[in-house]
């Protein structure tokens, strides 16, 4: 069942809101990393235990940053697909992705069945071992 114009409108609004929010978060992250460069965090004490905590924090920051960036990229793709009229169409099988799925996963490009199959066959760089 195709999305109604109202549903598309709602999803477009959500995408734009989320993009704006992510951009603000990413800008904040960039400013924080300037204010607290890794060196000062690690250099604050000379205990090697603290250094590994600083390492850990830096890694976590990176992980969060790349998650945000990946989401922003997904939303950008979603926005372009919306402009092109292909938003909400599964890229693998061409069926309509349900509105409910899109609402919770704005950047979804596959229907649930294809996504499940994709995740089984592709353990991409986004997959974490944790
Ligand atoms: Zn599909």
């Amino acid at each position: 069942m195709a999305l109604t114009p109202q549903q598309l409108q709602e999803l477009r609004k959500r995408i734009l809101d989320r993009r704006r929010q992510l951009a603000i978060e990413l800008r904040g992250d960039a400013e924080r990393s300037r204010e607290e460069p890794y060196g000062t965090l690690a250099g604050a004490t000379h205990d090697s235990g603290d250094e590994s905590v600083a390492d850990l924090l830096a890694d976590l920051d990176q992980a969060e940053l790349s998650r945000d960036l990946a989401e922003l990229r997904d939303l950008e793709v979603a926005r372009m697909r919306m402009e092109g009229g292909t938003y909400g169409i599964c890229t693998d099988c061409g069926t309509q992705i349900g509105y409910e799925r899109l609402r919770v996963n704005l950047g979804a490009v596959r229907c649930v069945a294809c996504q499940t199959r994709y995740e089984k066959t592709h353990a991409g760089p986004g997959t974490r071992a944790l």
Side-chain angles (χ1 to χ4, degrees), residues 90-95 110-115 117:
C90 175
T91 54
D92 285 9
C93 70
T95 60
R110 290 181 189 83
C111 68
V112 175
C114 290
Q115 184 64 36
R117 192 166 51 232

Side-chain angles (χ1 to χ4, degrees), residues 10-127:
E10 170 68 19
L11 291 168
R12 174 192 296 272
K13 185 177 169 305
R14 280 169 173 267
I15 288 171
L16 296 181
D17 284 352
R18 184 65 187 140
R19 275 172 85 234
R20 193 160 38 227
Q21 191 189 337
L22 270 175
I24 291 169
E25 277 176 27
L26 284 167
R27 202 169 298 135
D29 284 345
E31 274 164 21
R32 256 204 317 281
S33 57
R34 267 199 301 278
E35 283 162 17
E36 290 171 28
Y38 165 69
T40 50
L41 198 64
T45 70
H46 298 288
D47 180 29
S48 62
D50 282 348
E51 268 179 43
S52 55
V53 169
D55 271 344
L56 182 65
L57 287 174
D59 283 352
L60 287 175
D61 265 9
Q62 278 312 114
E64 191 178 332
L65 200 66
S66 40
R67 250 199 321 273
D68 282 354
L69 280 172
E71 189 181 352
L72 195 60
R73 265 196 299 269
D74 285 351
L75 291 179
E76 200 53 30
V77 170
R79 201 183 58 82
M80 286 189 300
R81 278 161 60 84
M82 199 168 259
E83 300 300 325
T86 58
Y87 183 74
I89 308 290
C90 175
T91 54
D92 285 9
C93 70
T95 60
Q96 179 67 49
I97 303 171
Y99 173 66
E100 284 308 313
R101 169 161 164 74
L102 290 167
R103 217 166 64 85
V104 294
N105 190 351
L106 292 166
V109 294
R110 290 181 189 83
C111 68
V112 175
C114 290
Q115 184 64 36
T116 307
R117 192 166 51 232
Y118 180 83
E119 282 171 10
K120 269 185 198 151
T121 50
H122 297 71
T127 313

